[in-house]
Amino acid sequence: METKLDKKRMEKVQRRCGFEHGIEVEAEGSRGGLCMAWKKKIVVNLRSFPKWQIDVLIKEDKVEEEWRYTGFYGPPYLKDKNSIWNLLKRLAQEIDHPWLVEGDFNEILYSFEKCGGIPRDSKLMEAFRETLVECQLFDIGFSGVCFTWERGNLPETNIRERLDRGLQMRNGLRKFHFEAWWTMEESLEKVICESWEANEGTLLEKLGKLQPCLQDWSRTISRNKEGLKRKLLKELEALAEGKRDDDTLAKLIDTKIHLNLEIDKDEVY
């Protein structure tokens, strides 16, 4: 488990829960800090523990395969955001085990993960989404209440956000999923047709060869999607500031439709 508690309090919690072993990363003032604790039947090999994460390999009793766990804390400061996402990308390059990443990322993926307060900067959410796409990490979901952080006792001051989450990647063995948003991409049919015509064999063999083609295509599309949205937003801003004539109004409508389509794809995902 991991948490942001002071050292003495964490040691007390650790003993009460029956965890014989643990490791801590100290907080900087009132911010950050991580602790990971485990019972004696679990073998934990420490890989690294810089100030924002604890990275370990775990061997469970009576389970042959090791798996990797990273306890993560995302800094609340804007100046540290790029550094922490780059750190996560570097960790993703070292994958040779099933991988689970959990913690407080201090960021949301989409606007609906925040209720109340000032709307989240879209560029910050885009940077987080791009990082997860590049790392091939997928949200494992949740049960119960969506929001993991809350502040404000009055309706007009109450703010809730989903800042904590679990992310998973099973290297080389991740189950194939056909994503609903793929059907909204014009190039999907071409990818399927080219793969189908280029490969021989039974129906199951052709489907098996199609899967990696779709995954490679999806990664390329996902990387380009965020850049396309930024480009469309800039075009929309430039058109909005310009003079109004038939040509400009037509371009405004077309750009808005294109941008809304990309946003719809995100919502479907």
Side-chain angles (χ1 to χ4, degrees):
M1 73 173 186
E2 63 165 322
T3 186
K4 296 180 287 182
L5 301 173
D6 61 83
K7 187 174 182 179
K8 289 183 178 179
R9 187 180 174 192
M10 191 59 229
E11 288 175 351
K12 189 180 292 185
V13 172
Q14 182 178 321
R15 288 194 300 270
R16 286 179 179 174
C17 294
F19 295 111
E20 292 86 355
H21 309 288
I23 184 173
E24 299 170 4
V25 177
E26 293 185 1
E28 293 185 352
S30 62
R31 303 280 186 171
L34 289 169
C35 176
M36 184 181 295
W38 59 93
K39 296 185 177 181
K40 62 182 179 181
K41 289 186 178 181
I42 298 176
V43 178
V44 175
N45 294 312
L46 182 64
R47 290 170 57 98
S48 63
F49 56 103
K51 65 179 180 178
W52 301 120
Q53 52 94 4
I54 300 175
D55 192 34
V56 300
L57 283 178
I58 296 176
K59 178 69 170 64
E60 298 179 74
D61 188 35
K62 298 180 181 179
V63 178
E64 291 186 9
E65 188 178 16
E66 282 187 314
W67 57 281
R68 185 182 180 190
Y69 178 82
T70 303
F72 204 85
Y73 176 63
Y77 314 110
L78 293 179
K79 63 182 179 64
D80 294 320
K81 291 289 185 182
N82 286 336
S83 297
I84 200 66
W85 300 147
N86 288 334
L87 170 61
L88 191 57
K89 291 173 186 177
R90 287 198 298 273
L91 292 175
Q93 294 173 358
E94 304 166 5
I95 286 298
D96 50 8
H97 294 84
W99 190 27
L100 175 64
V101 186
E102 287 185 322
D104 178 1
F105 292 83
N106 261 310
E107 190 54 84
I108 60 175
L109 287 170
Y110 299 99
S111 57
F112 58 77
E113 293 184 338
K114 178 174 182 177
C115 181
I118 300 172
R120 193 65 176 156
D121 189 328
S122 61
K123 292 181 180 178
L124 296 175
M125 293 186 289
E126 285 176 8
F128 189 21
R129 291 197 298 266
E130 287 176 347
T131 299
L132 298 193
V133 168
E134 185 169 335
C135 295
Q136 295 187 54
L137 285 167
F138 298 85
D139 195 307
I140 61 175
F142 63 92
S143 60
V145 179
C146 166
F147 305 110
T148 63
W149 177 88
E150 184 173 2
R151 184 175 66 188
N153 297 322
L154 299 173
E156 59 269 22
T157 61
N158 183 259
I159 303 173
R160 290 168 289 165
E161 296 180 276
R162 189 183 179 205
L163 302 180
D164 305 76
R165 67 184 72 239
L167 306 166
Q168 193 168 34
M169 179 176 75
R170 189 171 178 84
N171 187 50
L173 299 174
R174 186 169 62 83
K175 186 177 180 181
F176 174 79
H177 293 282
F178 188 96
E179 300 287 353
W181 66 268
W182 290 355
T183 61
M184 303 174 73
E185 295 291 339
E186 293 181 3
S187 56
L188 174 63
E189 183 177 353
K190 181 181 178 183
V191 172
I192 294 174
C193 290
E194 288 179 349
S195 173
W196 207 258
E197 293 170 0
N199 295 299
E200 298 180 351
T202 65
L203 175 63
L204 289 179
E205 289 172 339
K206 289 168 78 82
L207 285 172
K209 293 172 182 176
L210 173 61
Q211 288 180 10
C213 291
L214 288 173
Q215 288 169 328
D216 290 342
W217 166 81
S218 176
R219 281 193 288 270
T220 301
I221 290 290
S222 295
R223 283 194 296 267
N224 294 337
K225 273 164 60 67
E226 298 302 334
L228 175 59
K229 281 192 290 186
R230 284 195 295 269
K231 177 176 176 290
L232 290 170
L233 281 169
K234 287 182 179 179
E235 289 179 0
L236 196 60
E237 290 173 0
L239 288 167
E241 293 174 358
K243 294 181 179 180
R244 292 291 187 271
D245 54 34
D246 291 343
D247 187 52
T248 301
L249 288 172
K251 287 180 180 179
L252 265 171
I253 294 170
D254 185 64
T255 305
K256 284 181 180 178
I257 291 172
H258 199 168
L259 180 59
N260 286 335
L261 177 60
E262 294 304 313
I263 293 171
D264 286 344
K265 291 175 187 176
D266 282 343
E267 295 297 330
V268 170
Y269 172 74

